[in-house]
Protein backbone atom coordinates (compact mmCIF):
# COMPACT_ATOMS: atom_id res chain seq x y z
CA UNK A 1 0.00 0.00 0.00
CA UNK A 2 2.85 2.33 0.85
CA UNK A 3 4.45 1.69 -2.59
CA UNK A 4 1.15 2.46 -4.33
CA UNK A 5 0.83 5.76 -2.47
CA UNK A 6 4.41 6.83 -3.31
CA UNK A 7 4.02 5.91 -7.01
CA UNK A 8 0.65 7.70 -7.21
CA UNK A 9 2.05 10.81 -5.55
CA UNK A 10 5.07 10.81 -7.88
CA UNK A 11 2.82 10.48 -10.94
CA UNK A 12 0.56 13.32 -9.77
CA UNK A 13 3.60 15.52 -9.19
CA UNK A 14 4.93 14.80 -12.70
CA UNK A 15 1.53 15.47 -14.21
CA UNK A 16 1.28 18.79 -12.37
CA UNK A 17 4.79 19.88 -13.40
CA UNK A 18 4.23 19.01 -17.07
CA UNK A 19 0.91 20.90 -17.06
CA UNK A 20 2.66 23.96 -15.64
CA UNK A 21 5.39 23.74 -18.29
CA UNK A 22 2.85 23.60 -21.14
CA UNK A 23 1.03 26.65 -19.80
CA UNK A 24 4.23 28.65 -19.36
CA UNK A 25 5.28 27.98 -22.97
CA UNK A 26 2.02 29.45 -24.25
CA UNK A 27 2.24 32.53 -22.06
CA UNK A 28 5.91 33.42 -22.77
CA UNK A 29 5.26 34.10 -26.48
CA UNK A 30 8.26 32.16 -27.77
CA UNK A 31 6.60 32.13 -31.21
CA UNK A 32 8.25 34.44 -33.73
CA UNK A 33 6.05 37.04 -35.42
CA UNK A 34 5.05 36.41 -39.02
CA UNK A 35 7.26 37.91 -41.71
CA UNK A 36 6.28 41.26 -43.23
CA UNK A 37 5.50 40.43 -46.86
CA UNK A 38 5.69 42.94 -49.72
CA UNK A 39 4.05 42.33 -53.09
CA UNK A 40 5.42 44.83 -55.61
CA UNK A 41 3.30 45.51 -58.72
CA UNK A 42 3.70 47.81 -61.71
CA UNK A 43 0.78 48.64 -63.97
CA UNK A 44 1.27 48.45 -66.85
CA UNK A 45 4.57 46.52 -66.85
CA UNK A 46 5.15 47.73 -70.42
CA UNK A 47 4.42 51.45 -70.25
CA UNK A 48 4.82 54.25 -72.77
CA UNK A 49 6.97 57.37 -72.64
CA UNK A 50 5.31 60.27 -70.78
CA UNK A 51 2.30 58.14 -69.80
CA UNK A 52 1.74 57.42 -66.11
CA UNK A 53 2.32 54.02 -64.59
CA UNK A 54 1.24 52.98 -61.12
CA UNK A 55 3.72 51.34 -58.76
CA UNK A 56 2.28 49.69 -55.66
CA UNK A 57 3.70 47.84 -52.69
CA UNK A 58 1.06 45.77 -50.86
CA UNK A 59 2.41 45.23 -47.34
CA UNK A 60 0.98 42.47 -45.13
CA UNK A 61 1.91 40.51 -42.04
CA UNK A 62 0.04 37.23 -41.97
CA UNK A 63 -3.56 38.09 -42.89
CA UNK A 64 -3.24 41.69 -41.66
CA UNK A 65 -2.67 44.73 -43.88
CA UNK A 66 0.27 46.82 -42.64
CA UNK A 67 -0.91 50.43 -42.63
CA UNK A 68 1.66 51.69 -40.12
CA UNK A 69 5.00 50.99 -41.83
CA UNK A 70 7.93 52.98 -40.43
CA UNK A 71 9.05 53.86 -43.96
CA UNK A 72 8.32 52.86 -47.55
CA UNK A 73 10.37 54.14 -50.47
CA UNK A 74 10.82 53.17 -54.10
CA UNK A 75 14.31 53.16 -55.57
CA UNK A 76 14.03 53.56 -59.36
CA UNK A 77 16.67 53.58 -62.10
CA UNK A 78 17.10 52.97 -65.82
CA UNK A 79 19.25 50.00 -66.76
CA UNK A 80 22.98 50.79 -66.70
CA UNK A 81 22.44 54.17 -64.97
CA UNK A 82 24.62 54.80 -61.95
CA UNK A 83 22.25 57.30 -60.33
CA UNK A 84 19.21 55.86 -58.58
CA UNK A 85 16.26 57.99 -57.54
CA UNK A 86 14.65 57.23 -54.18
CA UNK A 87 11.04 58.35 -53.62
CA UNK A 88 9.30 58.16 -50.23
CA UNK A 89 5.67 56.97 -50.46
CA UNK A 90 2.81 57.12 -47.97
CA UNK A 91 0.07 54.64 -47.19
CA UNK A 92 -2.85 54.92 -49.63
CA UNK A 93 -5.33 52.23 -48.51
CA UNK A 94 -5.60 48.64 -47.26
CA UNK A 95 -1.84 48.16 -46.79
CA UNK A 96 -1.06 49.59 -50.24
CA UNK A 97 1.68 52.19 -50.71
CA UNK A 98 1.34 53.80 -54.15
CA UNK A 99 3.28 56.02 -56.57
CA UNK A 100 2.03 57.29 -59.93
CA UNK A 101 4.89 58.30 -62.20
CA UNK A 102 5.73 59.03 -65.85
CA UNK A 103 9.08 58.43 -67.55
CA UNK A 104 10.45 60.58 -70.39
CA UNK A 105 13.00 58.06 -71.69
CA UNK A 106 12.47 54.62 -73.20
CA UNK A 107 14.26 51.64 -71.77
CA UNK A 108 14.42 48.88 -69.21
CA UNK A 109 13.91 50.12 -65.67
CA UNK A 110 14.27 48.58 -62.22
CA UNK A 111 12.57 49.29 -58.95
CA UNK A 112 13.32 48.14 -55.42
CA UNK A 113 10.76 48.85 -52.73
CA UNK A 114 12.39 49.45 -49.35
CA UNK A 115 9.83 48.62 -46.66
CA UNK A 116 10.62 48.93 -42.95
CA UNK A 117 7.75 47.84 -40.73
CA UNK A 118 7.38 46.18 -37.35
CA UNK A 119 11.13 45.76 -36.82
CA UNK A 120 11.58 44.06 -40.21
CA UNK A 121 12.89 45.15 -43.62
CA UNK A 122 11.90 43.76 -47.02
CA UNK A 123 13.28 44.81 -50.42
CA UNK A 124 11.60 43.14 -53.42
CA UNK A 125 12.87 44.13 -56.87
CA UNK A 126 11.10 44.22 -60.25
CA UNK A 127 11.98 45.05 -63.83
CA UNK A 128 9.67 46.99 -66.14
CA UNK A 129 9.87 48.53 -69.61
CA UNK A 130 8.97 51.97 -70.90
CA UNK A 131 8.53 52.00 -74.71
CA UNK A 132 11.26 49.82 -76.21
CA UNK A 133 13.47 47.78 -73.89
CA UNK A 134 17.12 48.70 -73.52
CA UNK A 135 19.92 46.29 -72.65
CA UNK A 136 19.19 44.81 -69.21
CA UNK A 137 21.69 44.94 -66.40
CA UNK A 138 24.10 42.11 -65.79
CA UNK A 139 22.85 40.19 -62.71
CA UNK A 140 26.36 40.38 -61.17
CA UNK A 141 26.44 44.17 -61.59
CA UNK A 142 22.95 44.44 -60.09
CA UNK A 143 24.13 42.51 -57.01
CA UNK A 144 27.12 44.83 -56.60
CA UNK A 145 24.80 47.83 -56.98
CA UNK A 146 22.46 46.54 -54.28
CA UNK A 147 25.38 46.07 -51.91
CA UNK A 148 26.39 49.71 -52.54
CA UNK A 149 22.80 50.87 -51.95
CA UNK A 150 22.69 49.07 -48.59
CA UNK A 151 25.76 51.08 -47.59
CA UNK A 152 24.03 54.31 -48.65
CA UNK A 153 26.14 55.09 -51.75
CA UNK A 154 25.24 55.84 -55.33
CA UNK A 155 21.63 56.91 -54.68
CA UNK A 156 20.13 60.25 -55.54
Amino acid sequence: MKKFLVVSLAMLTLLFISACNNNSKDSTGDDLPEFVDVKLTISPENGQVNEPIIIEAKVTQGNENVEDADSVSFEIWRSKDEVHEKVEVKHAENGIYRLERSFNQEGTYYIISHVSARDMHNMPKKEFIIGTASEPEDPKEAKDSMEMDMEGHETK
Side-chain angles (χ1 to χ4, degrees), residues 88-142:
E88 290 285 327
V89 291
K90 300 292 180 198
H91 180 255
E93 61 190 2
N94 302 321
I96 296 172
Y97 296 78
R98 180 180 299 126
L99 174 67
E100 186 172 322
R101 168 104 189 253
S102 299
F103 295 84
N104 60 11
Q105 187 177 8
E106 287 189 324
T108 301
Y109 285 81
Y110 297 93
I111 182 166
I112 297 175
S113 66
H114 296 269
V115 177
S116 294
R118 302 178 181 177
D119 295 327
M120 296 180 202
H121 192 76
N122 195 333
M123 298 173 36
K125 178 181 178 181
K126 275 196 103 120
E127 177 183 284
F128 62 100
I129 297 169
I130 300 297
T132 304
S134 58
E135 184 180 349
E137 291 184 343
D138 178 25
K140 167 97 174 84
E141 289 176 17

Side-chain angles (χ1 to χ4, degrees), residues 38-40 55-59 69-77 84-91 96-99 101 110-117 120-126 149-150 155-156:
V38 180
K39 182 178 181 194
L40 184 59
I55 302 166
E56 293 182 337
K58 170 79 172 176
V59 184
D70 297 325
S71 70
V72 178
S73 63
F74 294 142
E75 181 179 354
I76 306 167
W77 71 98
H84 297 191
E85 180 181 10
K86 210 165 191 181
V87 180
E88 290 285 327
V89 291
K90 300 292 180 198
H91 180 255
I96 296 172
Y97 296 78
R98 180 180 299 126
L99 174 67
R101 168 104 189 253
Y110 297 93
I111 182 166
I112 297 175
S113 66
H114 296 269
V115 177
S116 294
M120 296 180 202
H121 192 76
N122 195 333
M123 298 173 36
K125 178 181 178 181
K126 275 196 103 120
D149 293 341
M150 292 295 290
T155 57
K156 182 177 174 183

Side-chain angles (χ1 to χ4, degrees), residues 1-52:
M1 180 77 171
K2 203 173 189 182
K3 270 187 173 181
F4 178 73
L5 186 58
V6 170
V7 170
S8 295
L9 189 57
M11 291 193 58
L12 281 172
T13 303
L14 284 173
L15 185 61
F16 179 75
I17 290 172
S18 72
C20 289
N21 283 342
N22 285 342
N23 289 339
S24 67
K25 271 187 185 176
D26 293 340
S27 64
T28 61
D30 287 341
D31 295 331
L32 293 175
E34 292 193 51
F35 187 67
V36 171
D37 186 45
V38 180
K39 182 178 181 194
L40 184 59
T41 58
I42 301 158
S43 178
E45 284 192 19
N46 292 316
Q48 297 302 317
V49 172
N50 295 322
E51 290 186 14

Side-chain angles (χ1 to χ4, degrees), residues 34 58-68 94-95 118:
E34 292 193 51
K58 170 79 172 176
V59 184
T60 57
Q61 186 176 34
N63 294 327
E64 179 187 356
N65 291 330
V66 175
E67 300 178 354
D68 60 349
N94 302 321
R118 302 178 181 177

